[in-house]
Amino acid sequence: MSISHAPPDSHGPDISGISEFTEPTSTNSESTDSKSVDHALPELEPIVPASARRTRVPRWLRRTSGPVLLLVLWQVLSSTGVLTADVLASPGTIARVAGDLVSDGSLTNAMGVSLQRVAVGLLFGTVVGTGLALVSGLFRVGEDLVDASVQMLRTVPFVGLIPLFIIWFGIGEAPKVAIITLGVSFPLYLNVYAGIRGVDSQLIEAGESLGLSRWGLVRHVVLPGALPGAMTGLRYSLGIAWLALVFAEQINADAGIGFLMVQARDFLRTDVIVVCLIVYAFLGLLADFIVRSLERLLLQWRPTFTGR
C-alpha cells in the first residue's frame, strides 16, 4: 500500500477566490446581522419585586391615619350625642381647654415638673439597673449574689410599695423619684443581663485568641453585643417611667400633670383629665422617638429586617 504525496487535483473546488471576495464585505454583513439581531431581540426590562410595584403611600401618612380616624370617630360620636360631655368631652372642647391651660401657664409648669421627676428617676434607675446587670452578667459570683434578689423583688408590684416609701421618705419629692427609679431599674436589668449572656461564646474565644484582655473583651465584644438589649430595655423603661409617674404624682402632689388630674377629678372635669392623658401620651411618644433615633445611631453596624 502506497501513500501519494502529490498535490490535490487542480480541478477541485477553489476556495481562495471565495475568501478573497468575501473578506471586504465581512464588515457590512456583520453590521447588517447585528442590526437584524437587535430588531429581533425583545427589549429587556428590569425585574421589580412585587412589593415595589405597589402604590407607595408616604409612611408619615400611614402612621397618622389611625389616630386621625380615631379622632374623627370620637368627634362624630360626640356630635351625635352618643358620648355626652359629662362622660367624655368632645375633641373641640378638649382643644379649647388645652389652649386655656397653656395660655395661663398651668399646663407648661406641670409638664416641667413632671419631666424633671421622670428625668431624675430615669437617671437613677438606669445607673442602678445597668450596674446590677453588669455585675450579675459579667461575673458568676455577682450572679449568685445579685440575680436571685433582683428576681424576687421585681415580682413585687412597685405601686404596692407607695405606702412604705411614704413612711421612709415622707410626702415630698423623694418617694415620687423612688417609685420611678424602682419601676425603671428592673426592665433595664433584665434586658442588659440577657444581652450580656446572649453574646456568642465563639466571639469571646476569637477575642481571647487575638490577645484581648478581660477589659478588652468587655469593651469590644460583650458591651457591643449587649447594646441591642440595652436599647430595648431603655424603651421599655421609659414606658414604665411614665406609668410610675401617674401613681407617684398621686402622693400629696402640689404640682405636675398628676396634680392637675387630681384637681380635675375632684371637680368632675373630664376635659382636663383627657388633656393630661394626651400630654402623658405625647411625652411618652416623644421619649420613645428619641430612644429609637439613638438606637439607629448606635446600632448602624447591625443590619436588621425592617419589614416589607
Side-chain angles (χ1 to χ4, degrees):
M1 181 178 180
S2 62
I3 300 175
S4 176
H5 297 280
D9 189 4
S10 59
H11 297 287
D14 187 6
I15 61 174
S16 60
I18 297 175
S19 61
E20 292 177 358
F21 178 76
T22 56
E23 281 182 359
T25 60
S26 60
T27 305
N28 296 332
S29 62
E30 289 177 0
S31 61
T32 305
D33 293 341
S34 63
K35 289 181 180 179
S36 61
V37 170
D38 291 340
H39 289 292
L41 290 177
E43 185 179 355
L44 299 178
E45 296 181 358
I47 298 176
V48 181
S51 59
R53 291 196 297 266
R54 301 170 188 166
T55 303
R56 285 292 183 179
V57 180
R59 191 173 184 183
W60 65 267
L61 183 60
R62 287 181 292 166
R63 292 180 68 89
T64 56
S65 59
V68 169
L69 291 176
L70 182 61
L71 188 64
V72 171
L73 178 62
W74 182 7
Q75 181 63 47
V76 170
L77 294 178
S78 299
S79 301
T80 55
V82 178
L83 288 177
T84 58
D86 56 345
V87 174
L88 186 62
S90 64
T93 303
I94 290 174
R96 177 178 53 81
V97 171
D100 295 338
L101 292 175
V102 171
S103 61
D104 62 15
S106 57
L107 185 59
T108 54
N109 293 334
M111 288 176 60
V113 174
S114 297
L115 283 174
Q116 182 179 358
R117 289 168 179 163
V118 169
V120 175
L122 184 64
L123 177 62
F124 289 161
T126 301
V127 172
V128 173
T130 306
L132 291 176
L134 290 175
V135 172
S136 181
L138 296 176
F139 308 100
R140 293 182 181 178
V141 177
E143 180 183 10
D144 297 337
L145 296 176
V146 173
D147 186 68
S149 301
V150 174
Q151 298 296 339
M152 180 182 62
L153 290 176
R154 76 178 183 87
T155 59
V156 178
F158 63 91
V159 180
L161 298 176
I162 291 178
L164 191 59
F165 284 168
I166 293 176
I167 296 175
W168 288 350
F169 306 112
I171 56 175
E173 291 294 315
K176 302 175 179 61
V177 174
I179 292 173
I180 298 172
T181 301
L182 189 65
V184 166
S185 300
F186 295 125
L188 268 174
Y189 171 83
L190 292 175
N191 285 274
V192 175
Y193 174 79
I196 293 174
R197 291 304 176 94
V199 175
D200 193 350
S201 60
Q202 294 181 355
L203 296 178
I204 303 294
E205 295 176 358
E208 291 176 346
S209 64
L210 292 175
L212 290 178
S213 61
R214 187 178 184 86
W215 168 243
L217 287 174
V218 172
R219 180 182 177 185
H220 297 289
V221 179
V222 176
L223 293 184
L227 190 58
M231 291 292 101
T232 303
L234 184 58
R235 291 181 61 186
Y236 187 61
S237 296
L238 279 171
I240 298 295
W242 293 108
L243 177 63
L245 179 67
V246 175
F247 294 101
E249 290 185 335
Q250 311 294 323
I251 306 174
N252 196 22
D254 55 358
I257 302 176
F259 173 68
L260 290 180
M261 292 183 65
V262 171
Q263 284 188 325
R265 180 198 62 190
D266 295 338
F267 292 99
L268 303 179
R269 293 288 305 275
T270 60
D271 49 1
V272 178
I273 294 176
V274 174
V275 169
C276 295
L277 293 177
I278 292 175
V279 170
Y280 274 130
F282 174 76
L283 293 177
L285 186 63
L286 179 61
D288 184 74
F289 172 76
I290 293 174
V291 176
R292 293 181 67 179
S293 301
L294 183 63
E295 184 178 4
R296 285 193 295 268
L297 179 64
L298 296 178
L299 300 180
Q300 294 179 356
W301 52 270
R302 190 188 65 150
T304 56
F305 177 70
T306 58
R308 294 190 181 275

